[in-house]
């Protein structure tokens, strides 16, 4: 009898253990699928964000404006020198354009003054020629001839190259965390609904799990909740952009275009911008970037999407809105967001490392080594070791700032539009984002 009871008890324990393993495997499988859904959702939303960022921070337009100034000057130089300046006019490299500008900016101003003194007819002819070249490049649009100097345009290129790349870093990080938070909140509700459905008989009205609200998420509430990402994609990122541009102006604005910078100094420059943004309260403003907070913003959100407030702000939707706001304003969310920004910045700097050539060790001898013949003093070992170390450690490779700008601007484009997008895959698969997703997915309450 005892053996029979023991056997029965053992079977019950094995059955319970098998059910527990199956339950854990089920939730793990659902969680993994949810993370893949997050990645695909972000990839589908990035083109909308990218289009607006590239349009607002249009570095390519500035480069076209710079070339529009360079080409008429090259044409005049060619006609004056009987073709001797043809080689320069065909050089479209950014660094060479800047080099030509730095050496001849003063001559260009003097030439313009001389031309204006030669007579009204000659000035009018050259103006018409410049207008014609600009119209051809603009696609027959009504574009005024550029009046800014090349130095001013290059200064704008410098600021906007850094700004666009940092906007891409911060916006992709925040969009990634927003989508992961939203879909894991909805995924958790869907999983609990499936669990409840297994134990509901036809005669039973409902079963309420511990830690679960009685009201379930309807399809309409789910759609309205996920639609909140519209606010960041169309309004919030612009608010964040203003903070980033201000920080870039303060940290990068004083940087000379001719300055030679090492990779370590470039890393320190990006870090200075990050510190400035955190000091200016960017972390505290994250909830306002991703959610329409305040009556004016709510009214803008509803009118822009042609939504009815009474149909959107149901009890379930308001509960979800409060929960996601609590998550975004938590210290855990801020920590994960900073880790995403740091990851993308490190990956960006690794990509920019290619712009710095490998340094070559240069021997440095402070003084010749003393002879060691008999009767002379033996060389000081410390001095010999010091000179050996000076010879062994190469100096840092340095690159002119203006040569880095095209690559920095290009990496900003890759962060948003790369195929495959290694930047997005890096932060989506990071331990911090996965941990936050797991906490949201399995938490009894969505508030951290």
């Amino acid at each position: 009898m005892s053996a029979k009871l023991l056997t029965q008890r053992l079977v019950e324990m094995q059955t319970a253990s098998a059910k527990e393993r199956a339950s854990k495997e089920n939730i793990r499988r659902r969680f993994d699928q949810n993370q893949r859904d997050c990645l695909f959702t972000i990839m589908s939303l990035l083109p909308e964000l990218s289009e607006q960022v590239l349009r607002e921070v249009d570095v390519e337009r500035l480069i076209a404006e710079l070339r529009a100034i360079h080409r008429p000057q090259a044409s005049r130089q060619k006609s004056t020198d009987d073709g001797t300046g043809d080689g320069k006019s065909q050089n479209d490299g950014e660094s060479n354009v800047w080099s030509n500008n730095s050496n001849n900016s003063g001559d260009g101003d003097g030439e313009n003054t001389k031309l204006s003194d030669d007579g009204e007819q000659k000035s009018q002819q050259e103006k018409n020629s410049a207008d014609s070249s600009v119209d051809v490049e603009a696609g027959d649009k009504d574009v005024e001839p550029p009046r800014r100097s090349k130095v001013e345009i290059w200064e704008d290129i410098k600021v906007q190259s850094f700004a666009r790349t940092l906007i891409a870093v911060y916006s992709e990080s925040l969009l990634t965390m927003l989508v992961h938070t939203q879909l894991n909140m909805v995924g958790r509700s869907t999983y609990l609904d499936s669990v409840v459905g297994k134990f509901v008989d036809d005669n039973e009205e409902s079963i309420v799990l511990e830690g679960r609200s009685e009201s379930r998420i309807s399809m309409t509430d789910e759609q309205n909740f996920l639609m909140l990402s519209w606010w960041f994609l169309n309004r919030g990122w612009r608010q964040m952009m203003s903070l980033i541009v201000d920080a870039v102006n303060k940290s990068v604005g004083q940087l000379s275009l001719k300055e030679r910078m090492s990779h370590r100094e470039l890393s320190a420059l990006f870090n200075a911008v990050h510190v400035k943004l955190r000091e200016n309260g960017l972390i505290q403003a994250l909830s306002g970037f991703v959610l329409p907070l305040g009556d004016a913003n709510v009214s803008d959100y509803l009118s822009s999407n042609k939504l009815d407030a009474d149909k959107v702000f149901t009890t379930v939707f308001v509960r979800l809105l409060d929960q996601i706001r609590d998550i975004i304003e938590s210290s855990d969310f801020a920590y994960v967001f900073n880790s995403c920004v740091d990851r993308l910045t490190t990956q960006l700097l690794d990509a920019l490392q290619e712009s710095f050539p490998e340094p070559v060790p240069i021997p440095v001898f402070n003084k010749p080594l003393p002879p060691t013949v008999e009767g002379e003093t033996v060389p000081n070992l410390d001095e010999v070791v010091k000179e050996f170390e000076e010879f062994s450690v190469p100096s840092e490779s340095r690159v002119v700032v203006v040569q880095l700008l095209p690559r920095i601007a290009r990496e900003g484009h890759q962060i948003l539009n790369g195929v495959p997008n290694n930047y997005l895959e890096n932060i989506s698969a990071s331990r911090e984002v996965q941990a936050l997703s797991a906490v949201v997915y399995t938490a009894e309450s969505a508030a951290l």
Side-chain angles (χ1 to χ4, degrees):
M1 187 68 180
S2 299
K4 185 177 180 180
L5 292 175
L6 182 61
T7 302
Q8 183 180 359
R9 180 60 178 166
L10 182 60
V11 170
E12 291 176 353
M13 292 177 61
Q14 290 176 343
T15 303
S17 177
K19 289 183 178 179
E20 183 179 358
R21 287 196 302 270
S23 177
K24 289 182 178 180
E25 181 61 28
N26 181 33
I27 191 172
R28 182 182 295 108
R29 178 178 55 81
R30 285 175 173 269
F31 176 77
D32 292 340
Q33 180 61 47
N34 210 54
Q35 306 320 301
R36 289 191 290 270
D37 292 342
C38 290
L39 181 60
F40 291 133
T41 302
I42 298 167
M43 292 173 64
S44 68
L45 295 176
L46 273 179
E48 181 180 353
L49 175 64
S50 173
E51 180 182 358
Q52 297 183 70
V53 171
L54 297 179
R55 184 173 61 247
E56 290 290 330
V57 192
D58 195 353
V59 179
E60 289 73 20
R61 178 187 60 80
L62 294 173
I63 295 175
E65 182 180 354
L66 186 68
R67 289 173 177 171
I69 295 178
H70 180 251
R71 289 175 182 174
Q73 290 182 353
S75 299
R76 290 197 298 268
Q77 184 178 0
K78 180 179 178 180
S79 61
T80 303
D81 298 340
D82 295 328
T84 57
D86 185 59
K88 292 183 179 180
S89 65
Q90 295 178 354
N91 192 346
D92 290 332
E94 285 81 1
S95 61
N96 290 335
V97 171
W98 165 247
S99 176
N100 183 57
N101 172 68
S102 62
N103 294 332
N104 301 317
S105 59
D107 297 339
D109 295 337
E111 181 183 0
N112 292 336
T113 304
K114 181 178 179 180
L115 289 172
S116 63
D117 293 339
D118 287 343
E120 180 178 357
Q121 182 178 1
K122 188 173 181 180
S123 297
Q124 187 64 31
Q125 290 176 352
E126 292 186 356
K127 180 179 179 182
N128 293 338
S129 175
D131 289 343
S132 176
S133 64
V134 173
D135 289 340
V136 171
E137 288 194 357
D140 297 332
K141 293 182 180 179
D142 186 16
V143 180
E144 295 183 358
R147 291 187 172 87
R148 297 189 300 169
S149 68
K150 288 186 282 187
V151 175
E152 293 173 334
I153 298 175
W154 269 112
E155 287 292 335
D156 281 353
I157 292 176
K158 177 188 67 177
V159 172
Q160 292 198 24
S161 296
F162 278 92
R164 187 170 78 177
T165 300
L166 286 169
I167 290 170
V169 167
Y170 277 86
S171 59
E172 186 166 294
S173 298
L174 189 52
L175 179 62
T176 298
M177 295 191 61
L178 172 63
V179 171
H180 274 267
T181 303
Q182 285 181 304
L183 292 188
N184 281 290
M185 289 176 63
V186 173
R188 174 182 178 271
S189 177
T190 303
Y191 171 72
L192 294 180
D193 287 343
S194 69
V195 173
V196 171
K198 292 181 179 180
F199 298 95
V200 173
D201 297 330
D202 295 336
N203 297 329
E204 292 179 312
E205 295 182 358
S206 64
I207 291 180
V208 179
L209 299 181
E210 182 180 357
R212 172 167 169 77
S213 301
E214 295 185 4
S215 54
R216 300 168 64 178
I217 301 179
S218 66
M219 183 64 67
T220 302
D221 289 328
E222 179 180 329
Q223 290 176 350
N224 289 330
F225 177 65
L226 296 178
M227 193 177 177
L228 287 173
S229 60
W230 180 93
W231 180 259
F232 175 72
L233 293 173
N234 294 272
R235 299 289 188 272
W237 81 267
R238 297 177 188 274
Q239 301 171 12
M240 186 168 62
M241 177 183 67
S242 62
L243 292 178
I244 294 174
V245 171
D246 181 66
V248 169
N249 275 320
K250 292 179 180 178
S251 301
V252 182
Q254 302 301 320
L255 186 66
S256 173
L257 289 164
K258 299 180 182 180
E259 182 174 338
R260 302 184 68 85
M261 174 176 288
S262 67
H263 186 268
R264 178 179 54 83
E265 292 170 341
L266 181 63
S267 177
L269 183 61
F270 275 103
N271 184 64
V273 178
H274 294 327
V275 172
K276 181 69 67 177
L277 285 170
R278 290 162 190 172
E279 290 176 349
N280 292 342
L282 182 138
I283 301 299
Q284 291 73 19
L286 291 180
S287 59
F289 295 154
V290 298
L291 300 175
L293 304 179
D295 294 339
N297 291 334
V298 170
S299 178
D300 180 22
Y301 172 74
L302 295 174
S303 61
S304 298
N305 294 281
K306 299 180 180 179
L307 299 174
D308 186 357
D310 295 333
K311 295 181 180 180
V312 172
F313 286 91
T314 63
T315 302
V316 176
F317 178 83
V318 171
R319 174 172 58 83
L320 290 172
L321 188 62
D322 291 339
Q323 289 176 351
I324 193 172
R325 183 175 181 180
D326 289 339
I327 294 174
I328 294 171
E329 293 178 350
S330 67
S331 58
D332 291 332
F333 190 92
Y335 172 80
V336 178
F337 176 73
N338 286 331
S339 72
C340 289
V341 171
D342 292 340
R343 273 179 172 269
L344 288 186
T345 304
T346 301
Q347 188 174 355
L348 168 66
L349 290 169
D350 289 342
L352 294 176
Q353 179 70 62
E354 300 175 1
S355 301
F356 294 83
E358 290 293 331
V360 179
I362 302 175
V364 178
F365 298 104
N366 295 328
K367 57 182 179 180
L369 295 176
T372 58
V373 296
E374 186 177 357
E376 298 289 343
T377 58
V378 178
N380 189 309
L381 183 60
D382 292 336
E383 291 183 0
V384 174
V385 172
K386 182 179 179 181
E387 292 190 3
F388 175 77
E389 290 176 347
E390 290 176 346
F391 175 81
S392 301
V393 179
S395 59
E396 289 184 301
S397 176
R398 294 181 175 273
V399 178
V400 180
V401 171
V402 73
Q403 294 178 341
L404 295 173
L405 299 182
R407 183 61 187 269
I408 292 175
R410 191 159 55 248
E411 285 303 314
H413 193 283
Q414 286 295 318
I415 292 173
L416 296 174
N417 292 326
V419 179
N421 195 327
N422 297 323
Y423 289 94
L424 175 60
E425 294 175 359
N426 182 15
I427 57 174
S428 293
S430 66
R431 294 177 58 186
E432 294 82 2
V433 171
Q434 293 296 309
L436 179 68
S437 299
V439 169
V440 174
Y441 194 86
T442 60
E444 291 185 359
S445 173
L448 296 181

